[in-house]
């Protein structure tokens, strides 16, 4: 176990046997013997090894440590990169959809405003003695009254949002 843990932790730290040997002031062959289980470091050297590998002595002496191999780390980083690209595409697509919805909203406001200007409040000349005409006229008047007050605010907000959601060129 000790030999396997020394080797696994050394490799996970990216150290060669020679580099670890230099840190411990021993020859490379000594590190090789420890890792092959041909010899065992004394207690003082065990403390030095734990300090050099930035791990605890109990970890060195404990159960076998399974450090992810370099290939595993590459695979994980590639998967994370793919996930990040997918998230970026999804965010860009949402931004694009929002951008076009805002443009559609502005177009809709312009069309309704144009229609109200062209119609010039026709309900003002209607005969309100007929109950159905009175209800339709009141509804049309309420819509026009609300639209005239809210449309400019919504239009200006939508224009500002269009500029904020446009694709930025770097």
């Amino acid at each position: 176990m000790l030999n396997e843990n020394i080797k696994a932790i050394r490799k996970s730290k990216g150290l060669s046997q020679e580099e670890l040997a230099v840190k411990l002031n021993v020859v490379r062959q000594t590190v090789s013997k420890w890792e092959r289980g041909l010899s065992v470091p004394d207690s003082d050297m065990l403390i030095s090894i734990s300090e050099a590998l930035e791990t605890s002595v109990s970890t060195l002496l404990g159960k076998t440590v399974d450090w992810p191999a370099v290939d595993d780390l590459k695979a994980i980083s590639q998967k994370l990169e793919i996930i990040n690209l997918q998230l970026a595409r999804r965010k860009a697509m949402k931004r694009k959809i929002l951008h076009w919805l805002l443009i559609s909203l502005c177009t809709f406001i312009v069309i309704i405003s144009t229609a109200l200007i062209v119609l010039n409040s026709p309900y003002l000349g209607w005969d309100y003695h007929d109950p159905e005409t009175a209800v339709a006229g009141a509804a049309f008047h309420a819509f026009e009254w609300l639209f005239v007050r809210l449309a400019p605010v919504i239009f200006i907000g939508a224009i500002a949002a269009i500029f904020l959601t446009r694709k930025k060129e770097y």
Side-chain angles (χ1 to χ4, degrees):
M1 264 189 282
L2 174 64
N3 60 332
E4 295 167 357
N5 288 347
I6 292 174
K7 185 175 183 177
I9 296 170
R10 174 185 61 79
K11 284 187 173 184
S12 74
K13 300 288 183 182
L15 295 172
S16 66
Q17 287 182 343
E18 183 69 34
E19 291 168 328
L20 180 58
V22 168
K23 284 186 171 193
L24 299 172
N25 294 322
V26 297
V27 294
R28 185 200 57 80
Q29 288 79 1
T30 304
V31 174
S32 176
K33 286 181 181 179
W34 292 337
E35 290 182 357
R36 289 186 291 152
L38 299 177
S39 68
V40 179
D42 63 16
S43 59
D44 290 336
M45 185 53 71
L46 203 53
I47 293 170
S48 298
I49 293 170
S50 72
E51 290 171 355
L53 295 177
E54 298 171 341
T55 189
S56 65
V57 174
S58 60
T59 302
L60 288 173
L61 295 173
K63 62 181 181 179
T64 304
V65 177
D66 291 328
W67 293 90
V70 174
D71 291 337
D72 292 343
L73 292 175
K74 284 182 182 177
I76 290 170
S77 69
Q78 287 173 344
K79 287 178 184 178
L80 286 174
E81 186 175 339
I82 290 169
I83 290 169
N84 283 336
L85 285 172
Q86 289 172 343
L87 290 173
R89 283 189 196 127
R90 193 173 295 157
K91 183 179 178 182
M93 182 59 73
K94 285 180 181 180
R95 177 178 269 209
K96 187 175 181 179
I97 289 170
L98 178 62
H99 182 78
W100 285 105
L101 283 174
L102 291 166
I103 290 173
S104 300
L105 177 63
C106 287
T107 305
F108 179 73
I109 289 173
V110 168
I111 290 169
I112 296 295
S113 298
T114 305
L116 289 175
I117 291 169
V118 168
L119 291 175
N120 196 22
S121 304
Y123 60 88
L124 295 177
W126 291 355
D127 179 19
Y128 282 91
H129 294 297
D130 180 21
E132 289 157 357
T133 306
V135 170
F140 196 69
H141 178 70
F143 169 75
E144 186 179 71
W145 185 86
L146 266 172
F147 185 82
V148 167
R149 278 149 185 81
L150 294 178
V153 174
I154 294 170
F155 187 77
I156 291 169
I159 293 292
I162 287 170
F163 281 106
L164 293 174
T165 59
R166 73 185 186 282
K167 184 177 180 182
K168 293 178 174 81
E169 300 294 328
Y170 294 100

